[in-house]
Amino acid sequence: MREIDMSKYQIHTDLIVDTIKKAPFIDGIKEQTYTKNDIYVSNIEIEKDLDIISKKKGFYTTIYFDDVTDTTNCNNVKEIFLKELKKILEKSSIKDTDSCLIIGLGNDKVTPDSLGPKTIEKIIVTKHIYDLTNTLEQGYRITSKLSPGVMGNNGIETSDIIEAVINKTKPDFIIAIDALSSDSISRVSKTIQITTTGLSPGSGIGNKRKALTKETLKIPVIAIGIPMVVDAVTIVFDTINFMTQHFSYNLKNKNNIKNKLIPSSKINYLNDNPKPLSKEETTYLLGAFGNLSDLEKKSLLYDVLTPIGYNFIVTLKEVDFEIEKLSEILSYGINNSLHKIEKQN
Amino acid sequence: MREIDMSKYQIHTDLIVDTIKKAPFIDGIKEQTYTKNDIYVSNIEIEKDLDIISKKKGFYTTIYFDDVTDTTNCNNVKEIFLKELKKILEKSSIKDTDSCLIIGLGNDKVTPDSLGPKTIEKIIVTKHIYDLTNTLEQGYRITSKLSPGVMGNNGIETSDIIEAVINKTKPDFIIAIDALSSDSISRVSKTIQITTTGLSPGSGIGNKRKALTKETLKIPVIAIGIPMVVDAVTIVFDTINFMTQHFSYNLKNKNNIKNKLIPSSKINYLNDNPKPLSKEETTYLLGAFGNLSDLEKKSLLYDVLTPIGYNFIVTLKEVDFEIEKLSEILSYGINNSLHKIEKQN
Amino acid sequence: MREIDMSKYQIHTDLIVDTIKKAPFIDGIKEQTYTKNDIYVSNIEIEKDLDIISKKKGFYTTIYFDDVTDTTNCNNVKEIFLKELKKILEKSSIKDTDSCLIIGLGNDKVTPDSLGPKTIEKIIVTKHIYDLTNTLEQGYRITSKLSPGVMGNNGIETSDIIEAVINKTKPDFIIAIDALSSDSISRVSKTIQITTTGLSPGSGIGNKRKALTKETLKIPVIAIGIPMVVDAVTIVFDTINFMTQHFSYNLKNKNNIKNKLIPSSKINYLNDNPKPLSKEETTYLLGAFGNLSDLEKKSLLYDVLTPIGYNFIVTLKEVDFEIEKLSEILSYGINNSLHKIEKQN
Amino acid sequence: MREIDMSKYQIHTDLIVDTIKKAPFIDGIKEQTYTKNDIYVSNIEIEKDLDIISKKKGFYTTIYFDDVTDTTNCNNVKEIFLKELKKILEKSSIKDTDSCLIIGLGNDKVTPDSLGPKTIEKIIVTKHIYDLTNTLEQGYRITSKLSPGVMGNNGIETSDIIEAVINKTKPDFIIAIDALSSDSISRVSKTIQITTTGLSPGSGIGNKRKALTKETLKIPVIAIGIPMVVDAVTIVFDTINFMTQHFSYNLKNKNNIKNKLIPSSKINYLNDNPKPLSKEETTYLLGAFGNLSDLEKKSLLYDVLTPIGYNFIVTLKEVDFEIEKLSEILSYGINNSLHKIEKQN
């Protein structure tokens, strides 16, 4: 069987946990996790550049949560994001006196890509006051911000604008916010990743071609991303995996597969942690397709949908509300980690 | 095998053509079609109420087109929509002097559900001028408009607001615009349906519980809908159908299935009009699942995704632009069919 | 001297205090005032209809404050508005079980006229839940809401929509929110009036021709208004009054008027509570114009500006921010006075 | 009498015609004018730097028009603006192959200051295509665009962002769009100024401290401005001037001043071109104040209103609609003058 070009998928999955779970036994990866208020947090440290999984040395924090349009949950996520961002700033050796440029990537006219610009709207800036008075109120750091737009909109490579502004204004470090693609529909608008390794080429929803990293910009770059879109291949792939788990659950619990192919049950079979189907069971239920590897399945789905123009990039129907709440969470965490002030909404 | 409750699907597919193609041999259905500038138009007349397919006597026009963010295509769709809407007005025996209330259903804060309110923004109204002066400029009809919002937003059943306003203002007929659910991802934002039979309960994206029809409102109701969302079940179901067509194409063209399961081909296999796989081929490739009926497949997918909360309703990433252009098309057609005036954008 | 038709002014000044201060000695007016956190509150009761000042029997509360784009001040105004609205509900004998329809008047596409619709966006509604379940969570009242738009936009007389919805949904009382015209530029976006007497014809910014009162709607109508615009006549009239006070201050403090006509002083002369100029002083400084009565001055300015199209209606440059904050204040007060719940922002 | 510091006014009046009419006899100023479709155009050339009026050598075109919310008038203004912008490009020796960076100054969250950003939204860009393919379709020029925001928003001096982006992207010339302050309420949203001399410090609505000129940026800067706000001093000053003209008209036409101080006439007295009042008439009608010079009057009004916080900056109530139409006019003219293409809306 011919070699599969998975680069087309790598451009659509930038969450570290997606990568790690595909390569669990690689050396040089340390992970700690905890759960609080139904929010699950993974703190990963990669101790050296791992080319094999295309991941750089650095810290990667991922926060998983449920629907943030619920007010209580939204407030819980705010506090955990704030705590985790503070930890990342510390691990990056950012000093309280270091000045920060906060950058909101993405297109404010495309709702699922507007996470960066919408967050930027609520960011507190102080640089202009410092430049004028040479002093700042107690607790404040020098901050400025930028929504560079997207290249297709303004005709200028986004990273050119960013580099130009950095050269002119000389911040000590960068926080960059971007909407990402997800490799699972269930993570869309329900995961925040923070990393010290910046943004790689091909990350994000838009066509951002150049990296924003310490290597390219010469200053630390803390990247914050939330997956906001998913492609049809991913939705189908996820569903087929769920289908096998659903079959496994039914096999174990119902004796007779065939009669139960279409159960009326509303039971959440995932809670049962169903064991994988055997090769024979898979063949019976899903044929040759069922026995392909994950990479092969995805590649096949890609080959089925792409030539006929059906590999649509989609977002949740409620994306307007999600973006509103998520940008509040991010601006809350950024403002309150950068400035030691009475907490601001 | 137990009976399948497909009512859950009917609530998500309101395009007439979806229904017709599932019941091609029923009596009392007349269809004429044509294609112009790559836009495909189907004019269906249902001559008597057909309970078997839950469709009422009346006219159903469906317009299929490609990406309307292309300016030339958008203009072509505008002209065809105008022509077809005029035909529907004529078939409904609407007179030039009949007054019209145009209603934009949906939630203007949820982009994919904002088609109605956004169209309403651009509708020309004259009723207040007529009420004041008892006359209108040559060519104008008495028109008024309403965006009643959604029940979840204002706490009032939408149809109560509509009925109350109709009783008070006494229009001769209604044009109602709504965003719909689709039963195919490929139709999202690429199909307009016009019908003389009003809106059925459960149509549309929001929770609209009561029908808006000639029966309930006592005046003719012309409904205009565009599918703007799709659920995950539909995306997976469509993809599995494409997969079998993809296999069929490869079987015919490549001799050896197994080696070609993951082809690199970019050929649009749909153009080849691939014949259905045999039962044996299907079993080999997709197992028992492959041999389920369409209804069984959808019902199974529904049972797999729903209990674990994964049957997400999604929309296209570019929905902001699509809604902008689609609402322009609809308001252009409505304004220029209702008033005999120099064409307005 | 001919009679002056001041009806043209009455249409532009609906704040009770404007009326009262012009008629201080009329019987049947009781006023109590207090100041807290630099916010000044006037509670007026008019004990019987006073046709002479075109004011109806009822309660009129006016709250004066400074710039609400200041967060601390905004929060102070929120609490006082909540307290005062509760008092008005009590005085109107509204019971905890009475259902309320909240109406946001005005045009959401015209920023200074969008106070009503913007407030409505943040109002909590429960009627749809009650209608479905026949019960509500502890502390909640039955509420619904409506943004009827403006007649010029939807072709329907606004009060027709409101009456129709009231007849259909049968609320026990109404809260109506509207942006008003001011008779002083200094009050624009800095005054809230609450009254039990509803909205009179000609109130507000738009062309609202019919009254929304207990007489017309048959249920209590609590009206909440904030002046958001002012006309050029008012700005000039105010300035000329300030000019005389400025002269008076300088006369008293500087001995020599002429040399001081153009002082460089930045002193707030109003704090000095300057006494009125004598007739001779006024004639010397402002000629015959200076000795006209207030009504005559306004009428003259009206006659100067109107025929040449210069009596512009204007709003503050920062109106977008003001509306944002003011609608937050109103929705906070309305939500927390109608429902006995944990305070919501 | 002490010297008057008029710098405070110069910061609020940047229309060339305001300056010229105050200094009509200065050498080195050439003006040509014409009227078409009720639109009045003034083409001024200043042949050498004129420090006395703070105006630089260059071309200044001013277009006066009426309400652009009227569709026909809006279209007429579009064509004249396009023609005049083309003339300015020619006079500036801009070649068809010169690349252009279009800059939209101002704050998109403050409606009257959003003219620049709103215009930018509709500007066609091609630089990213040229950078990728090294070629452009026939008729297109290399264009890119930028909305740098305002310093108070992003903490960075606006001109620093602009300079940085210019240095990085090397355009051949700049077109900068900005909302201006007016020295007459009647010009707000009804005047376009185009100039080859860039933007001076203190121009515009926001706090722009650094100049954007050929001197500072090293490339030609064509500035396009529309007055969108006016301060209270200006409104009062204008009104007092109108009052004297109104008196003069009545003196001439009515014999008896006193009886006619408050005329009911709706006659547009400006059409009568009333002659100035005599010193005695002025003293009788407006006292000492009436006989102050224009500068003294403005300075006095400034001193009356500023210390008590009443010199509000205001905009028209309908500013949302005006900005929408004006940004359409500007983008139409810019797109169609920069690219030799089929006319785009």
Side-chain angles (χ1 to χ4, degrees):
Chain A
M1 198 168 284
R2 72 177 177 72
E3 197 127 358
I4 299 158
D5 173 16
M6 283 310 292
S7 65
K8 56 199 169 203
Y9 288 102
Q10 284 159 12
I11 66 162
H12 285 299
T13 59
D14 7 66
L15 287 176
I16 179 74
V17 293
D18 297 336
T19 310
I20 299 303
K21 76 171 180 200
K22 288 174 198 143
F25 305 117
I26 293 172
D27 250 13
I29 301 180
K30 289 199 299 197
E31 182 176 20
Q32 286 189 311
T33 68
Y34 69 92
T35 300
K36 188 177 171 187
N37 290 327
D38 291 326
I39 299 162
Y40 174 81
V41 179
S42 151
N43 295 118
I44 290 172
E45 180 181 358
I46 296 194
E47 295 172 319
K48 56 182 178 188
D49 286 3
L50 291 176
D51 292 343
I52 193 168
I53 55 167
S54 303
K55 288 291 166 186
K56 290 220 164 68
K57 180 177 185 310
F59 297 95
Y60 298 81
T61 293
T62 315
I63 306 171
Y64 301 88
F65 44 87
D66 273 333
D67 183 14
V68 289
T69 64
D70 174 86
T71 306
T72 309
N73 189 45
C74 183
N75 289 335
N76 289 336
V77 175
K78 270 184 184 174
E79 294 307 330
I80 285 187
F81 172 63
L82 171 56
K83 192 176 81 178
E84 292 297 329
L85 181 55
K86 279 180 173 171
K87 277 160 60 178
I88 286 277
L89 288 171
E90 216 169 273
K91 284 176 181 164
S92 307
S93 309
I94 303 295
K95 293 193 298 285
D96 282 1
T97 51
D98 284 348
S99 65
C100 181
L101 172 64
I102 303 104
I103 301 173
L105 297 163
N107 186 344
D108 67 345
K109 305 295 177 215
V110 173
T111 308
D113 197 25
S114 68
L115 178 74
K118 289 271 187 220
T119 301
I120 284 297
E121 280 181 22
K122 309 179 189 97
I123 292 296
I124 298 169
V125 292
T126 61
K127 183 176 184 300
H128 59 308
I129 299 169
Y130 183 82
D131 287 351
L132 211 65
T133 65
N134 225 25
T135 181
L136 284 179
E137 267 185 69
Q138 183 68 23
Y140 283 94
R141 176 198 298 272
I142 299 175
T143 50
S144 55
K145 68 187 183 187
L146 189 69
S147 281
V150 292
M151 190 177 60
N153 261 15
N154 54 31
I156 308 174
E157 167 74 46
T158 306
S159 61
D160 281 355
I161 298 179
I162 293 170
E163 275 177 44
V165 172
I166 288 175
N167 287 342
K168 190 86 185 181
T169 65
K170 310 279 183 215
D172 293 314
F173 72 106
I174 297 288
I175 293 180
I177 302 138
D178 203 1
L180 308 177
S181 292
S182 179
D183 90 328
S184 165
I185 189 171
S186 65
R187 288 207 186 113
V188 169
S189 85
K190 296 189 177 56
T191 314
I192 301 172
Q193 174 162 316
I194 319 169
T195 166
T196 59
T197 59
L199 288 164
S200 309
S203 297
I205 292 179
N207 298 312
K208 293 132 199 165
R209 290 180 308 168
K210 291 193 195 164
L212 296 180
T213 62
K214 189 163 185 176
E215 284 67 44
T216 59
L217 300 177
K218 316 297 178 206
I219 50 176
V221 179
I222 292 165
I224 300 171
I226 299 183
M228 293 307 306
V229 297
V230 72
D231 65 0
V233 163
T234 300
I235 292 173
V236 180
F237 176 79
D238 283 358
T239 304
I240 286 163
N241 281 342
F242 291 133
M243 219 190 299
T244 64
Q245 293 177 279
H246 183 259
F247 291 151
S248 170
Y249 173 85
N250 285 325
L251 272 171
K252 179 173 149 206
N253 290 280
K254 303 296 173 66
N255 297 328
N256 187 331
I257 314 161
K258 187 140 196 297
N259 289 347
K260 302 301 180 185
L261 260 179
I262 305 139
S264 61
S265 160
K266 298 295 178 223
I267 294 161
N268 184 334
Y269 51 84
L270 293 181
N271 294 340
D272 196 60
N273 203 12
K275 66 167 187 171
L277 296 178
S278 71
K279 193 166 189 303
E280 287 68 35
E281 288 166 341
T282 303
T283 303
Y284 174 72
L285 289 161
L286 289 170
F289 176 70
N291 280 310
L292 294 176
S293 74
D294 282 2
L295 283 192
E296 287 169 336
K297 274 184 199 135
K298 280 199 175 184
S299 193
L300 172 59
L301 290 170
Y302 188 88
D303 283 342
V304 167
L305 291 175
T306 304
I308 59 173
Y310 276 48
N311 192 19
F312 292 100
I313 311 290
V314 300
T315 187
L316 301 181
K317 193 189 77 169
E318 301 81 2
V319 64
D320 302 82
F321 297 140
E322 308 276 4
I323 284 281
E324 185 55 34
K325 286 298 173 184
L326 293 168
S327 63
E328 264 181 37
I329 290 169
L330 296 192
S331 60
Y332 176 85
I334 294 169
N335 286 334
N336 289 296
S337 64
L338 292 184
H339 308 293
K340 297 194 175 315
I341 52 175
E342 208 188 335
K343 270 183 198 175
Q344 304 275 328
N345 272 309
Chain B
M1 197 167 285
R2 74 178 175 70
E3 199 129 352
I4 299 158
D5 172 18
M6 283 310 292
S7 64
K8 56 199 173 204
Y9 287 103
Q10 284 159 13
I11 67 162
H12 284 301
T13 58
D14 4 66
L15 287 176
I16 178 74
V17 293
D18 298 336
T19 309
I20 299 302
K21 78 173 179 199
K22 290 173 200 144
F25 305 117
I26 294 172
D27 250 14
I29 301 179
K30 289 199 299 195
E31 182 175 19
Q32 285 189 311
T33 67
Y34 69 91
T35 300
K36 187 178 172 186
N37 292 326
D38 292 325
I39 299 163
Y40 175 82
V41 179
S42 152
N43 296 119
I44 290 172
E45 180 180 0
I46 297 194
E47 295 170 320
K48 55 181 178 189
D49 286 4
L50 292 175
D51 294 343
I52 194 167
I53 55 166
S54 303
K55 288 290 168 186
K56 291 219 165 71
K57 180 178 185 311
F59 297 94
Y60 299 81
T61 293
T62 315
I63 306 170
Y64 301 89
F65 44 86
D66 274 332
D67 182 14
V68 288
T69 62
D70 174 85
T71 306
T72 309
N73 189 44
C74 182
N75 289 336
N76 289 337
V77 176
K78 270 183 184 175
E79 294 307 330
I80 284 186
F81 171 65
L82 171 56
K83 192 176 81 180
E84 292 298 329
L85 181 56
K86 279 179 173 171
K87 277 159 59 179
I88 286 278
L89 289 171
E90 216 168 274
K91 285 175 180 166
S92 308
S93 308
I94 303 296
K95 294 193 296 287
D96 282 2
T97 52
D98 285 348
S99 65
C100 181
L101 172 64
I102 302 103
I103 300 174
L105 296 162
N107 187 342
D108 68 344
K109 305 296 176 213
V110 172
T111 308
D113 195 26
S114 68
L115 178 73
K118 290 271 188 220
T119 301
I120 284 297
E121 281 182 21
K122 308 180 190 95
I123 292 296
I124 298 169
V125 292
T126 61
K127 182 177 183 301
H128 59 309
I129 298 169
Y130 184 82
D131 287 351
L132 211 67
T133 64
N134 224 26
T135 181
L136 285 178
E137 266 183 70
Q138 180 70 23
Y140 284 93
R141 177 198 300 270
I142 299 176
T143 51
S144 54
K145 66 187 183 185
L146 189 69
S147 281
V150 293
M151 190 178 60
N153 260 16
N154 54 30
I156 308 174
E157 167 74 45
T158 306
S159 60
D160 281 355
I161 299 179
I162 293 170
E163 275 176 43
V165 171
I166 288 174
N167 287 340
K168 191 84 185 183
T169 65
K170 310 283 181 211
D172 293 315
F173 71 107
I174 297 289
I175 294 180
I177 304 138
D178 203 2
L180 308 175
S181 293
S182 180
D183 89 327
S184 165
I185 190 170
S186 65
R187 289 207 186 114
V188 170
S189 85
K190 296 190 176 58
T191 315
I192 301 172
Q193 174 164 315
I194 319 169
T195 166
T196 59
T197 60
L199 288 163
S200 308
S203 296
I205 291 178
N207 298 311
K208 292 134 200 163
R209 291 181 306 168
K210 293 193 195 163
L212 297 179
T213 63
K214 189 164 185 177
E215 283 69 42
T216 60
L217 301 176
K218 315 298 177 206
I219 49 174
V221 179
I222 293 165
I224 300 171
I226 300 182
M228 293 306 306
V229 298
V230 73
D231 64 359
V233 164
T234 301
I235 293 173
V236 180
F237 176 79
D238 282 358
T239 305
I240 286 163
N241 281 343
F242 291 134
M243 218 189 299
T244 63
Q245 294 178 280
H246 183 259
F247 290 151
S248 171
Y249 174 86
N250 285 325
L251 272 171
K252 179 175 150 202
N253 291 282
K254 302 296 172 68
N255 297 328
N256 186 333
I257 313 159
K258 185 138 198 299
N259 290 348
K260 302 301 178 186
L261 261 179
I262 305 138
S264 59
S265 159
K266 298 296 176 223
I267 295 162
N268 184 334
Y269 50 84
L270 295 182
N271 294 341
D272 197 57
N273 203 12
K275 65 164 186 170
L277 296 178
S278 71
K279 192 165 189 307
E280 287 67 36
E281 288 165 342
T282 303
T283 303
Y284 175 73
L285 288 162
L286 288 171
F289 177 72
N291 280 311
L292 294 175
S293 74
D294 282 1
L295 284 191
E296 287 169 337
K297 273 185 199 136
K298 279 198 173 182
S299 193
L300 172 60
L301 290 170
Y302 188 88
D303 283 343
V304 166
L305 291 175
T306 303
I308 57 172
Y310 276 48
N311 191 19
F312 293 101
I313 311 291
V314 300
T315 187
L316 302 181
K317 194 188 75 169
E318 301 81 3
V319 64
D320 301 82
F321 296 141
E322 308 276 4
I323 285 281
E324 186 55 34
K325 286 297 173 185
L326 292 169
S327 62
E328 263 180 39
I329 290 169
L330 296 192
S331 61
Y332 175 86
I334 294 169
N335 285 333
N336 290 296
S337 64
L338 292 184
H339 308 292
K340 299 196 175 313
I341 53 174
E342 209 188 333
K343 272 185 197 173
Q344 304 276 327
N345 273 310
Chain C
M1 196 168 284
R2 72 177 177 74
E3 199 128 355
I4 299 158
D5 173 18
M6 283 310 291
S7 64
K8 57 199 171 202
Y9 288 102
Q10 284 158 13
I11 67 162
H12 285 301
T13 59
D14 5 64
L15 287 176
I16 178 74
V17 293
D18 297 337
T19 310
I20 300 302
K21 76 173 181 201
K22 288 173 201 146
F25 306 119
I26 294 172
D27 250 12
I29 301 179
K30 289 199 299 196
E31 181 176 20
Q32 286 189 310
T33 67
Y34 69 92
T35 300
K36 187 178 172 186
N37 291 327
D38 291 325
I39 299 162
Y40 174 81
V41 179
S42 152
N43 296 118
I44 290 172
E45 180 180 358
I46 297 193
E47 295 169 320
K48 53 181 180 188
D49 286 4
L50 292 176
D51 293 344
I52 194 168
I53 55 167
S54 303
K55 287 290 167 186
K56 290 220 165 69
K57 179 179 186 309
F59 298 94
Y60 298 82
T61 293
T62 315
I63 306 170
Y64 301 88
F65 45 86
D66 273 334
D67 181 15
V68 288
T69 63
D70 175 86
T71 306
T72 308
N73 189 45
C74 182
N75 289 335
N76 289 337
V77 176
K78 271 184 183 174
E79 295 307 332
I80 285 187
F81 171 64
L82 170 57
K83 193 177 80 179
E84 293 297 330
L85 181 55
K86 279 179 173 171
K87 279 160 58 180
I88 286 277
L89 288 172
E90 216 168 276
K91 285 174 179 166
S92 309
S93 309
I94 303 295
K95 295 193 294 288
D96 282 3
T97 52
D98 284 349
S99 65
C100 180
L101 172 65
I102 303 103
I103 300 174
L105 296 162
N107 187 344
D108 68 344
K109 306 294 177 216
V110 172
T111 307
D113 196 24
S114 68
L115 178 73
K118 290 271 188 217
T119 301
I120 285 296
E121 282 181 20
K122 307 180 189 98
I123 293 295
I124 298 170
V125 292
T126 62
K127 183 176 184 301
H128 59 309
I129 299 169
Y130 183 82
D131 287 350
L132 211 67
T133 64
N134 223 26
T135 182
L136 283 178
E137 267 183 69
Q138 182 67 24
Y140 284 94
R141 177 199 299 271
I142 299 175
T143 51
S144 55
K145 66 187 182 187
L146 189 69
S147 279
V150 293
M151 191 177 60
N153 261 16
N154 53 31
I156 308 174
E157 167 74 45
T158 306
S159 60
D160 281 354
I161 298 178
I162 293 169
E163 275 176 44
V165 171
I166 288 175
N167 287 341
K168 190 87 186 181
T169 65
K170 310 282 183 211
D172 294 314
F173 72 107
I174 297 289
I175 294 181
I177 304 138
D178 202 2
L180 308 175
S181 292
S182 180
D183 90 328
S184 166
I185 190 170
S186 66
R187 291 209 184 113
V188 170
S189 83
K190 296 190 177 57
T191 314
I192 301 173
Q193 174 163 317
I194 319 170
T195 167
T196 60
T197 59
L199 289 164
S200 309
S203 298
I205 292 179
N207 298 313
K208 291 134 201 164
R209 292 179 306 167
K210 293 193 194 164
L212 297 179
T213 63
K214 189 165 184 176
E215 284 67 45
T216 59
L217 301 178
K218 315 299 179 205
I219 50 175
V221 179
I222 293 165
I224 301 170
I226 300 182
M228 293 306 308
V229 298
V230 72
D231 66 359
V233 164
T234 300
I235 292 174
V236 180
F237 176 78
D238 282 357
T239 304
I240 285 161
N241 281 343
F242 292 133
M243 219 188 301
T244 64
Q245 294 178 279
H246 183 260
F247 291 152
S248 171
Y249 173 87
N250 285 326
L251 272 169
K252 179 175 150 205
N253 291 281
K254 303 295 173 68
N255 299 326
N256 187 333
I257 313 159
K258 185 139 198 302
N259 290 348
K260 302 299 180 187
L261 259 179
I262 304 139
S264 60
S265 160
K266 298 295 176 224
I267 295 162
N268 184 334
Y269 49 85
L270 294 182
N271 294 341
D272 196 57
N273 203 11
K275 65 167 187 169
L277 295 178
S278 73
K279 192 164 189 308
E280 288 66 36
E281 287 166 341
T282 303
T283 303
Y284 175 70
L285 289 163
L286 288 170
F289 176 71
N291 281 311
L292 293 176
S293 75
D294 282 1
L295 284 191
E296 289 169 336
K297 274 185 198 135
K298 280 199 175 182
S299 193
L300 172 59
L301 290 170
Y302 188 88
D303 283 343
V304 167
L305 290 176
T306 303
I308 58 172
Y310 276 48
N311 192 19
F312 292 101
I313 311 291
V314 300
T315 188
L316 302 181
K317 193 189 75 169
E318 302 80 4
V319 65
D320 303 82
F321 297 141
E322 309 275 4
I323 285 280
E324 185 57 33
K325 287 297 174 188
L326 293 168
S327 62
E328 264 180 38
I329 290 169
L330 297 191
S331 61
Y332 175 86
I334 294 170
N335 286 333
N336 290 296
S337 65
L338 292 184
H339 308 293
K340 299 195 174 314
I341 52 175
E342 209 188 332
K343 273 185 195 172
Q344 305 275 328
N345 273 310
Chain D
M1 197 167 287
R2 72 176 176 74
E3 198 128 356
I4 299 159
D5 173 16
M6 282 311 291
S7 65
K8 58 199 170 201
Y9 288 102
Q10 283 159 13
I11 67 162
H12 285 298
T13 59
D14 7 66
L15 287 176
I16 179 72
V17 292
D18 297 336
T19 310
I20 299 304
K21 76 174 180 199
K22 291 174 198 145
F25 305 119
I26 294 172
D27 250 13
I29 301 179
K30 289 199 298 198
E31 181 176 19
Q32 285 188 311
T33 68
Y34 68 92
T35 299
K36 187 178 172 187
N37 291 327
D38 292 324
I39 299 162
Y40 174 81
V41 179
S42 152
N43 296 118
I44 290 173
E45 179 180 359
I46 297 195
E47 296 171 318
K48 55 181 179 189
D49 286 2
L50 291 176
D51 293 342
I52 194 168
I53 55 166
S54 304
K55 288 289 167 189
K56 292 221 163 71
K57 178 178 186 311
F59 298 94
Y60 299 81
T61 293
T62 315
I63 306 170
Y64 300 89
F65 44 86
D66 274 332
D67 183 14
V68 287
T69 63
D70 174 87
T71 306
T72 309
N73 189 45
C74 182
N75 289 335
N76 289 337
V77 176
K78 271 183 183 175
E79 294 307 330
I80 285 187
F81 171 64
L82 170 57
K83 191 177 82 180
E84 292 298 329
L85 181 55
K86 279 180 174 172
K87 277 160 58 179
I88 286 278
L89 289 171
E90 215 169 275
K91 284 175 181 165
S92 307
S93 308
I94 304 296
K95 293 193 296 286
D96 282 1
T97 52
D98 285 349
S99 64
C100 181
L101 173 64
I102 303 105
I103 300 173
L105 296 162
N107 187 343
D108 67 346
K109 306 294 178 216
V110 173
T111 308
D113 196 25
S114 68
L115 179 73
K118 289 271 188 219
T119 302
I120 284 298
E121 281 181 21
K122 308 180 189 95
I123 292 295
I124 297 169
V125 292
T126 60
K127 183 177 183 301
H128 58 309
I129 299 168
Y130 184 82
D131 287 351
L132 210 67
T133 63
N134 225 25
T135 181
L136 284 178
E137 267 184 69
Q138 182 69 21
Y140 284 94
R141 176 197 300 270
I142 298 176
T143 51
S144 54
K145 68 187 182 187
L146 190 68
S147 280
V150 293
M151 190 177 60
N153 261 16
N154 53 31
I156 309 174
E157 167 73 47
T158 306
S159 61
D160 281 355
I161 298 178
I162 293 169
E163 275 176 45
V165 171
I166 289 174
N167 287 341
K168 190 86 185 181
T169 64
K170 311 279 182 216
D172 293 315
F173 73 106
I174 297 288
I175 292 180
I177 303 138
D178 203 2
L180 307 176
S181 292
S182 180
D183 91 328
S184 165
I185 190 171
S186 64
R187 288 204 187 117
V188 169
S189 85
K190 295 189 177 57
T191 314
I192 301 172
Q193 174 164 317
I194 319 169
T195 166
T196 59
T197 59
L199 288 163
S200 308
S203 297
I205 293 178
N207 298 311
K208 291 133 201 164
R209 292 180 309 169
K210 292 193 195 165
L212 297 180
T213 62
K214 188 165 186 176
E215 284 67 44
T216 60
L217 299 178
K218 315 297 178 207
I219 50 175
V221 179
I222 293 165
I224 300 171
I226 299 182
M228 293 307 307
V229 298
V230 72
D231 65 0
V233 164
T234 300
I235 293 173
V236 180
F237 176 79
D238 282 358
T239 305
I240 286 162
N241 281 342
F242 291 133
M243 219 189 300
T244 64
Q245 293 178 279
H246 183 259
F247 291 152
S248 171
Y249 173 86
N250 285 324
L251 272 171
K252 178 174 151 206
N253 290 282
K254 303 295 173 68
N255 297 327
N256 187 333
I257 312 161
K258 185 137 197 298
N259 290 347
K260 302 298 180 187
L261 260 180
I262 305 138
S264 60
S265 161
K266 298 294 178 224
I267 295 162
N268 185 333
Y269 50 84
L270 293 182
N271 294 341
D272 197 60
N273 204 10
K275 67 167 185 170
L277 296 177
S278 72
K279 193 164 187 306
E280 289 66 36
E281 289 166 339
T282 303
T283 303
Y284 174 71
L285 289 162
L286 289 170
F289 176 71
N291 280 312
L292 294 176
S293 74
D294 283 1
L295 283 191
E296 287 169 336
K297 274 186 198 135
K298 281 198 174 185
S299 193
L300 172 59
L301 290 170
Y302 188 89
D303 283 343
V304 166
L305 291 176
T306 303
I308 58 172
Y310 277 48
N311 191 19
F312 293 99
I313 311 291
V314 299
T315 186
L316 301 180
K317 193 189 75 169
E318 301 82 2
V319 64
D320 302 82
F321 297 140
E322 308 276 4
I323 285 280
E324 185 56 34
K325 286 297 173 185
L326 292 169
S327 62
E328 262 180 39
I329 291 168
L330 297 192
S331 60
Y332 175 86
I334 294 170
N335 285 333
N336 290 297
S337 64
L338 292 183
H339 309 292
K340 298 194 176 314
I341 52 177
E342 207 188 335
K343 270 184 197 174
Q344 304 276 327
N345 272 309

